[in-house]
Amino acid sequence: MKLSAASEFVLKTIKESGGEAYVVGGAVRNYFLGLPAGDYDVTCSFPPEKVRDIFLEKGCRVIETGIRHGTVTVRIFKESVEITSFRSDGKYSDSRHPESVEFVRTIEKDLERRDFTVNAMCFDGVNFVDLFGGREDCEKKVIRAIGDPYLRFREDALRILRALRFASALGFEIEENTKAALFAQKWLILNLSAERVTKELKGILLGDNAKKILFDYREILAVVLPELALCFDFDQRNPYHAYDVYTHSVLTCVSTKKDFILRFAALTHDVGKPETFFVGSDAAGHFYGHEKRGAIMCECIADRLKLSSAEKKRFVSAVAFHGYPIVPGEAKIIDEGCDKYILRSLNKLGEQTVRDVLSLQLAEALSETKETATRRERLTRIAARLDLILSEKMAFTVKDLKVDGNDLKSLGYDGREIGEALNALLSAVMSDKVRNEKAELIDYLKDRDSILHH
Ligand code: ATP
Ligand code: MG
């Protein structure tokens, strides 16, 4: 196994000082899977203060934020290596944090406290240590808890979500007993902090195997997102929808590109449907207002999961406008004649939301089976025109105009006239009646207002 320059230096330095040190966890697992290492975590026999002193002496930058839990981060060769002292976690009382961490003398003890067999292998630069059959589980593609899974999930409920995250990212199955334990104890997830849950949710949604996990483990997901449980098997009773609401949501989610907020919005975009459902006189199911209802629910979700305010805004807007026609249906052919509609949508919703809404609509079209080929093609064309519009920096807000308030003032406009004139100019530019050039804009205004005034 090839180590990074920094981790190799760390192992060597600790060994030279008389300690034991190993690269452990994800890097070793990924080596056996033929995947690149994410980061190199090191575990060693020295207490954290000693680790700190050794590397300070070597002139490295040392970050001590985790020192109480036994972790020191060393910055070297533009790389960060987390060095944790051999430890075992003391008693857990709240399925969240050990009451204490106890430093132990042997690597064996340290490997025992780790979550899954595939995460509990280590490498000292020459030899591997694999006490729990991690290598075999890598080959079999299995996530298996170390020891009694019931006990291990009660110690730390984050492991339940980590199991799903690794299964999603690596395309692994979860071993039967481990799986039974995580279903039986899923409510422990409620003890976790929102930040930790959100981080794992992100990993689950962005994994290559997200689709299978979202279907097979939906009951676990519903502990974090009970709104989704309303959608499970919800028959839409509408000839335009091939699937129940949850199936449609999952298929839409995994048809989008790997962008957390976009995938999350795709997964929840129809959560307003069950509560707005009614059967019309046409005997079909309808969901008027489900976008708005869903957006309100998604605001709650965003708050509960402590998304940042920028993430929340993006998430909620995508859900709120997922049915918005970026180009209205009456425009049958998508060509430059539609640019004015796209510019209006940009003006109303902003670039991010227009992009997200188009991505969502395209993913929906990809995931339905019926009559979507034409819709797919239409949306793809709209997306191509959108890219062109943005790359050519066409104007869609007053700020994009080549004249500003001061220009208008010097032409004799005053007070509210200024805003009104700028809006009129923007609207003329967006519908291609005048080019966005200063002289032409001023001429346009002069023409317009001489017509108005006489
Ligand atoms: P990634 O590739 O995502 O970094 P990783 O396996 O390195 O995967 P980390 O979260 O960086 O995952 O954790 C490093 C190691 O620490 C894990 O491989 C595992 O051995 C151990 N570990 C992390 N979190 C837990 C936990 N909640 N319970 C038990 N062991 C854990
Ligand atoms: Mg790691």
Side-chain angles (χ1 to χ4, degrees), residues 30 44-45 112 115 130 133 140 145 151 165 167 177 187 207 247 265 277 279 329 346 393 405 411 413-414 433 449 453:
N30 285 5
C44 79
S45 58
E112 246 172 51
D115 48 5
D130 174 15
K140 289 204 233 155
L151 193 65
R165 195 246 293 177
N177 198 28
W187 299 110
T247 303
F277 175 76
V279 178
L346 284 166
K393 303 211 183 310
L411 287 171
Y413 290 83
D414 198 22
K433 292 197 184 109
D449 289 348
H453 294 147

Side-chain angles (χ1 to χ4, degrees), residues 94-147:
D94 60 355
S95 303
R96 271 203 297 198
H97 305 295
E99 278 167 18
S100 58
V101 300
E102 185 192 338
F103 296 114
V104 294
R105 301 253 302 280
T106 63
I107 180 69
E108 287 79 11
K109 280 267 169 233
D110 180 85
L111 293 177
E112 246 172 51
R113 59 113 184 150
R114 292 174 185 271
D115 48 5
F116 306 113
T117 58
V118 295
N119 285 345
M121 295 180 281
C122 65
F123 179 62
D124 66 3
V126 182
N127 296 305
F128 290 95
V129 181
D130 174 15
L131 302 176
F132 307 103
R135 193 165 174 181
E136 194 185 334
D137 284 342
C138 278
E139 275 156 25
K140 289 204 233 155
K141 294 181 170 287
V142 168
I143 300 294
R144 184 194 312 270
I146 293 172

Side-chain angles (χ1 to χ4, degrees), residues 69-89:
H69 300 102
T71 304
V72 202
T73 303
V74 169
R75 261 316 276 177
I76 182 165
F77 308 143
K78 298 200 169 131
E79 205 187 316
S80 294
V81 180
E82 270 196 9
I83 308 171
T84 304
S85 307
F86 291 167
R87 56 169 232 223
S88 74
D89 297 333

Side-chain angles (χ1 to χ4, degrees), residues 9 17 43 46 57 100 121 182 286 322 356 406 418:
F9 172 81
S17 318
T43 180
F46 287 146
E57 213 164 282
S100 58
M121 295 180 281
L182 64 87
H286 298 282
H322 78 262
D356 289 341
N406 289 328
I418 295 178

Side-chain angles (χ1 to χ4, degrees), residues 74-371:
V74 169
R75 261 316 276 177
I76 182 165
F77 308 143
K78 298 200 169 131
E79 205 187 316
S80 294
V81 180
E82 270 196 9
I83 308 171
T84 304
S85 307
F86 291 167
R87 56 169 232 223
S88 74
D89 297 333
K91 244 180 68 181
Y92 288 74
S93 55
D94 60 355
S95 303
R96 271 203 297 198
H97 305 295
E99 278 167 18
S100 58
V101 300
E102 185 192 338
F103 296 114
V104 294
R105 301 253 302 280
T106 63
I107 180 69
E108 287 79 11
K109 280 267 169 233
D110 180 85
L111 293 177
E112 246 172 51
R113 59 113 184 150
R114 292 174 185 271
D115 48 5
F116 306 113
T117 58
V118 295
N119 285 345
M121 295 180 281
C122 65
F123 179 62
D124 66 3
V126 182
N127 296 305
F128 290 95
V129 181
D130 174 15
L131 302 176
F132 307 103
R135 193 165 174 181
E136 194 185 334
D137 284 342
C138 278
E139 275 156 25
K140 289 204 233 155
K141 294 181 170 287
V142 168
I143 300 294
R144 184 194 312 270
I146 293 172
D148 174 2
Y150 289 86
L151 193 65
R152 302 310 309 283
F153 294 149
R154 281 206 299 281
E155 284 174 356
D156 180 2
L158 191 71
R159 292 170 188 156
I160 298 174
L161 294 176
R162 283 174 61 88
L164 302 195
R165 195 246 293 177
F166 287 118
S168 176
L170 303 171
F172 279 29
E173 294 287 336
I174 301 176
E175 177 272 328
E176 282 309 312
N177 198 28
T178 305
K179 184 171 174 173
L182 64 87
F183 276 112
Q185 303 184 125
K186 63 182 183 201
W187 299 110
L188 291 173
I189 295 170
L190 294 175
N191 290 336
L192 299 170
S193 74
E195 290 83 354
R196 297 175 89 204
V197 169
T198 303
K199 180 166 170 273
E200 299 306 326
L201 180 65
K202 180 173 176 179
I204 293 168
L205 295 189
L206 299 185
D208 282 343
N209 209 28
K211 182 166 142 189
K212 184 177 159 58
I213 302 305
L214 294 175
F215 283 135
D216 293 358
Y217 296 91
R218 63 183 206 177
E219 302 297 337
I220 312 271
L221 205 69
V223 175
V224 177
L225 297 165
E227 294 85 350
L228 290 179
L230 305 171
C231 306
F232 292 169
D233 309 310
F234 195 97
D235 183 353
Q236 309 203 49
R237 300 196 26 204
N238 187 304
Y240 289 103
H241 298 299
Y243 301 108
D244 67 84
V245 176
Y246 186 68
T247 303
H248 167 74
S249 303
V250 170
L251 294 176
T252 303
C253 172
V254 299
S255 301
T256 62
K257 65 174 191 246
K258 289 188 176 178
D259 170 322
F260 172 52
I261 295 299
L262 181 62
R263 284 209 160 177
F264 195 18
L267 184 66
T268 56
H269 77 283
D270 275 344
V271 288
K273 273 193 167 178
E275 292 179 352
T276 54
F277 175 76
F278 75 96
V279 178
S281 54
D282 56 356
H286 298 282
F287 308 91
Y288 298 132
H290 77 273
E291 295 93 341
K292 192 158 181 221
R293 177 63 159 255
I296 293 169
M297 294 165 81
C298 285
E299 280 196 79
C300 298
I301 293 174
D303 288 341
R304 213 167 63 221
L305 290 184
K306 299 215 163 74
L307 298 189
S308 71
S309 61
E311 286 173 327
K312 173 178 169 182
K313 182 164 173 282
R314 190 181 159 204
F315 173 63
V316 173
S317 305
V319 172
F321 293 103
H322 78 262
Y324 188 86
I326 303 297
V327 173
E330 71 248 27
K332 296 290 176 222
I333 298 166
I334 304 299
D335 58 13
E336 64 188 310
C338 294
D339 288 357
K340 60 175 179 290
Y341 300 118
I342 300 175
L343 288 164
R344 269 176 225 164
S345 296
L346 284 166
N347 176 268
K348 184 176 150 87
L349 307 182
E351 177 178 339
Q352 183 72 69
T353 303
V354 169
R355 279 188 186 283
D356 289 341
V357 164
L358 266 181
S359 303
L360 256 171
Q361 292 176 346
L362 192 58
E364 281 195 274
L366 286 169
S367 63
E368 287 285 350
T369 50
K370 291 180 197 160
E371 296 174 49

